[in-house]
């Protein structure tokens, strides 16, 4: 099967359905929840009522044949508003970690508890970064120690920059079981709702995506049943034995989660970039200076041409990476990282140019482009900075251990 950047009838229907929700529900609420810096529970509830926030929807699009279901939907949601969009899809990262690495029993038990029901919405949170371990995942200090007598894992540490951290029903925590092995000695653990010892630390006040809850998660002698080790203890023991014997162990679970979701983050960035481009284009069609529409000036028209081109390039790279991942194609040139790098930097550049086209008006909160610009910056940082993406791509294209 060859990649073809043409949406099926079903995907076009999905795109239009999500776009309608983004246009009518998400975008009108964007400025309000950005100002409040609070989780937009009413909007998440509306998404749940129509089936947009649900395990069934997540599973259906996760396994959609082309691999484009979630990227298409995410672009439309984030076209509406990035902060609210992340509040709606933030659970997906924790869900993806279990869907990609968990046992069938774990998927059946914990995924439903991450979403809840339309009448009782729940959230999931994926906890990886730490105060001293962001890009350097090998520096993770959170520890998981096995209590064989009770068949329990005891978790201690502090996680930071956690989407839905502390308010989620289910947390998935990356911790070290053997610090001497670096990332190869890490594993992921499910922390069930109401588990003692898990608490929310500092809630962060952010530059952008302010409608999405971001906080520290503190783990103080958190005990979870043995069955909460993602993938199971037998699989972990086998992997650790291979590492200690000097054999290749395969990719650590958290890294597989990020590689799976990078094209999805790219799709979010494409949505923000497209929103800024379209707003600036429409403004240029109406705004008059010196007796003509500003869009008639080459300086503005050429800038809009570059914006439109970059958005399309970013989208096509995102779709290609998502399609390759879904069809088991080797990402020989780190196409997932390429898509995130290009899309995130396109979002930052495009939103800045949108402000420039609007001039002083674009710098005020009377127009959404200043919020688009604030929201865009995070895409060059979370789930791997632009520098880390370039490092990954550099290693892939040279075959050398670029540092």
């Amino acid at each position: 099967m060859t990649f073809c950047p043409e949406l099926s009838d079903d995907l076009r229907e999905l795109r239009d359905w999500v776009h309608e929700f983004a246009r009518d529900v998400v975008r009108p609420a964007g400025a309000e929840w950005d100002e409040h810096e609070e989780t937009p529970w009413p909007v998440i509830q509306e998404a749940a009522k129509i089936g947009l926030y649900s395990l069934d929807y997540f599973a259906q699009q996760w396994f959609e044949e082309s691999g484009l279901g979630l990227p298409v939907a995410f672009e439309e949601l984030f076209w509406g508003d990035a902060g609210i969009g992340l509040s709606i899809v933030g659970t997906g990262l924790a869900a993806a970690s279990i869907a990609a690495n968990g046992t069938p029993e774990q998927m059946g038990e914990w995924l439903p508890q991450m979403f809840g029901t339309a009448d009782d919405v729940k959230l999931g949170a994926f906890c990886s970064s730490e105060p001293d371990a962001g890009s350097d995942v090998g520096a993770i200090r959170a520890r998981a120690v096995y209590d064989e007598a009770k068949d329990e894992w005891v978790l201690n540490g502090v996680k930071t920059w956690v989407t839905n951290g502390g308010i989620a029903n289910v947390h998935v925590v990356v911790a070290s079981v053997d610090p001497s092995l670096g990332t190869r000695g890490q594993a992921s653990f499910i922390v069930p709702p109401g588990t003692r010892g898990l608490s929310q630390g500092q809630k962060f006040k952010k530059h952008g995506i302010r409608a999405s809850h971001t906080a520290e998660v503190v783990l103080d002698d958190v005990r979870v049943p043995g069955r909460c080790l993602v993938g199971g203890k037998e699989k972990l023991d086998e992997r650790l034995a291979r590492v200690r014997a000097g054999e290749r162990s395969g990719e650590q679970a958290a890294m597989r989660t990020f590689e799976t979701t990078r094209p999805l983050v790219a799709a979010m960035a494409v949505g923000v970039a497209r929103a800024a481009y379209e707003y600036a284009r429409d403004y240029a069609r109406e705004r008059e200076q010196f007796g003509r529409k500003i869009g008639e000036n080459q300086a503005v028209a050429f800038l809009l041409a570059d914006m439109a081109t970059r958005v399309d390039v970013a989208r096509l790279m995102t779709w290609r990476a998502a399609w390759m991942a879904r069809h088991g194609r080797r990402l020989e040139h780190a196409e997932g990282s390429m898509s995130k790098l290009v899309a995130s930097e396109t979002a930052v550049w495009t939103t800045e140019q949108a402000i420039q086209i609007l001039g002083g008006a674009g710098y005020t909160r009377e127009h959404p482009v200043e919020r688009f610009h604030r929201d865009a910056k995070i895409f060059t940082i979370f789930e791997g900075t632009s520098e880390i993406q370039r490092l990954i791509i550099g290693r892939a294209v040279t075959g050398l251990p670029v540092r």
Side-chain angles (χ1 to χ4, degrees):
M1 181 180 293
T2 307
F3 171 63
C4 176
E6 179 70 26
L7 297 182
S8 65
D9 290 342
D10 287 343
L11 284 175
R12 282 197 292 271
E13 184 176 342
L14 168 71
R15 179 196 60 196
D16 295 345
W17 173 60
V18 179
H19 181 79
E20 182 178 340
F21 180 79
R23 182 195 64 207
D24 297 342
V25 180
V26 174
R27 180 164 285 190
E32 175 187 357
W33 290 100
D34 174 75
E35 190 70 28
H36 291 338
E37 296 191 63
E38 296 176 357
T39 301
W41 289 105
V43 184
I44 300 174
Q45 189 81 46
E46 289 301 310
K49 286 179 180 177
I50 67 169
L52 182 57
Y53 183 82
S54 69
L55 175 57
D56 287 346
Y57 170 79
F58 173 81
Q60 180 183 1
Q61 299 309 323
W62 180 264
F63 295 109
E64 192 272 331
E65 183 180 2
S66 72
L68 302 184
L70 287 176
V72 166
F74 282 15
E75 178 182 334
E76 297 306 324
L77 270 179
F78 282 70
W79 172 90
D81 181 74
I84 293 176
L86 192 57
S87 287
I88 293 173
V89 308
T91 293
L93 184 57
S97 70
I98 295 178
N101 307 299
T103 65
E105 293 76 17
Q106 288 170 336
M107 286 186 269
E109 180 175 5
W110 300 111
L111 292 182
Q113 294 189 52
M114 289 185 179
F115 292 90
T117 66
D119 297 323
D120 186 21
V121 170
K122 304 294 184 185
L123 302 174
F126 185 72
C127 312
S128 178
S129 293
E130 297 182 3
D132 295 319
S135 297
D136 183 9
V137 293
I140 283 178
R141 299 178 64 183
R143 285 298 311 276
V145 178
Y146 185 54
D147 184 343
E148 190 169 358
K150 295 183 178 180
D151 185 27
E152 291 179 339
W153 290 90
V154 184
L155 308 179
N156 282 282
V158 177
K159 294 295 180 178
T160 194
W161 317 121
V162 181
T163 299
N164 300 333
I167 65 172
N169 197 48
V170 178
H171 292 74
V172 179
V173 177
V174 180
S176 177
V177 297
D178 187 340
S180 69
L181 301 178
T183 58
R184 296 178 299 172
Q186 296 170 2
S188 298
F189 299 85
I190 300 162
V191 181
T195 300
R196 293 179 58 184
L198 184 147
S199 62
Q200 179 185 311
Q202 175 187 5
K203 178 184 175 181
F204 296 102
K205 295 179 73 67
K206 305 191 298 294
H207 176 65
I209 55 167
R210 304 198 319 180
S212 174
H213 176 95
T214 308
E216 291 180 329
V217 171
V218 180
L219 306 159
D220 184 8
D221 284 338
V222 172
R223 286 183 169 268
V224 300
R227 62 187 173 81
C228 289
L229 168 61
V230 176
K233 192 168 187 303
E234 182 178 348
K235 186 177 179 180
L236 172 65
D237 288 343
E238 290 176 356
R239 177 164 62 84
L240 294 180
R242 291 197 301 272
V243 173
R244 291 167 183 145
E247 300 175 13
R248 293 182 61 86
S249 64
E251 199 171 23
Q252 196 270 339
M255 294 301 98
R256 282 200 299 273
T257 298
F258 287 134
E259 193 57 36
T260 300
T261 56
R262 276 182 184 132
L264 302 183
V265 176
M268 300 173 191
V270 171
V272 176
R274 189 183 111 217
Y277 154 67
E278 290 180 355
Y279 196 92
R281 177 201 63 197
D282 294 346
Y283 184 88
R285 287 170 171 170
E286 299 299 326
R287 174 69 168 166
E288 290 190 5
Q289 289 286 277
F290 304 106
R292 61 181 179 184
K293 311 293 185 184
I294 65 171
E296 295 179 42
N297 297 313
Q298 280 192 5
V300 174
F302 284 9
L303 188 53
L304 287 168
D306 286 344
M307 292 164 75
T309 301
R310 291 197 187 191
V311 170
D312 271 7
V313 167
R315 180 186 298 109
L316 289 171
M317 292 187 72
T318 297
W319 285 5
R320 180 187 65 169
W323 180 88
M324 290 177 71
R326 179 67 181 87
H327 290 88
R329 301 295 178 92
R330 283 192 62 196
L331 305 179
E332 294 183 3
H333 296 108
E335 285 85 354
S337 290
M338 284 184 174
S339 70
K340 182 184 181 298
L341 174 65
V342 170
S344 62
E345 299 204 342
T346 293
V348 172
W349 181 84
T350 301
T351 55
E352 182 177 2
Q353 305 318 308
I355 292 175
Q356 194 69 24
I357 289 173
L358 269 70
Y363 199 66
T364 71
R365 294 193 180 183
E366 293 182 14
H367 296 273
V369 291
E370 68 83 27
R371 185 173 77 252
F372 296 161
H373 186 50
R374 287 188 287 108
D375 290 341
K377 184 56 188 172
I378 191 60
F379 297 109
T380 66
I381 298 172
F382 71 176
E383 290 204 44
T385 63
S386 289
E387 291 72 24
I388 290 296
Q389 305 311 320
R390 288 186 169 94
L391 186 67
I392 294 169
I393 297 164
R395 288 171 178 170
V397 299
T398 66
L400 300 173
V402 180
R403 292 179 175 85

